[in-house]
Amino acid sequence: GVGLSVHGHFRVATEKTLFAMPETAIGLFPDVGGGYFLPRLSGKVGYYLALTGFRLKGRDVLKAGIATHFVDSEQLPALEKDLIALKSPSMENIANLLNAYHVK
């Protein structure tokens, strides 16, 4: 899933988010999606994740640059409702809405 979804404009993480690449823990290499985005993460964290299979949870997914926004999981139903209700779902309007729910 991450190899596809990481290329989206908006990626929301919650305190329940778990980022993992279990294939690396058994000696395989990340898929083509992971092979593209992991080396592009700042601070070489992508190399570390690819080589070790280390799992990221919650806010660490945002800090690593994999998620673009962090939202409390209890707020997801309200966020979904507000996204659906957008009259003009432009990139700017979606970004503004996600920023309103984003927990710093």
Side-chain angles (χ1 to χ4, degrees):
V2 173
L4 293 174
S5 61
V6 75
H7 303 290
H9 290 286
F10 305 109
R11 301 173 305 276
V12 178
T14 73
E15 72 279 2
K16 297 179 181 180
T17 298
L18 175 64
F19 172 85
M21 294 174 297
E23 66 273 17
T24 60
I26 60 171
L28 300 176
F29 52 88
D31 64 15
V32 67
Y36 177 81
F37 81 86
L38 286 170
R40 289 165 173 76
L41 294 176
S42 66
K44 308 265 187 218
V45 71
Y47 291 106
Y48 176 75
L49 295 172
L51 291 171
T52 65
F54 188 82
R55 295 174 180 210
L56 298 178
K57 299 177 184 173
R59 285 194 179 279
D60 292 335
V61 179
L62 176 70
K63 290 176 186 174
I66 298 164
T68 59
H69 295 81
F70 185 85
V71 176
D72 288 326
S73 62
E74 64 188 27
Q75 294 295 316
L76 288 179
L79 173 58
E80 180 181 11
K81 180 181 172 191
D82 289 345
L83 282 168
I84 292 169
L86 282 175
K87 299 268 189 255
S88 174
S90 66
M91 295 283 281
E92 182 179 351
N93 289 343
I94 294 169
N96 290 337
L97 181 60
L98 287 172
N99 289 336
Y101 279 89
H102 179 69
V103 178
K104 299 188 188 244

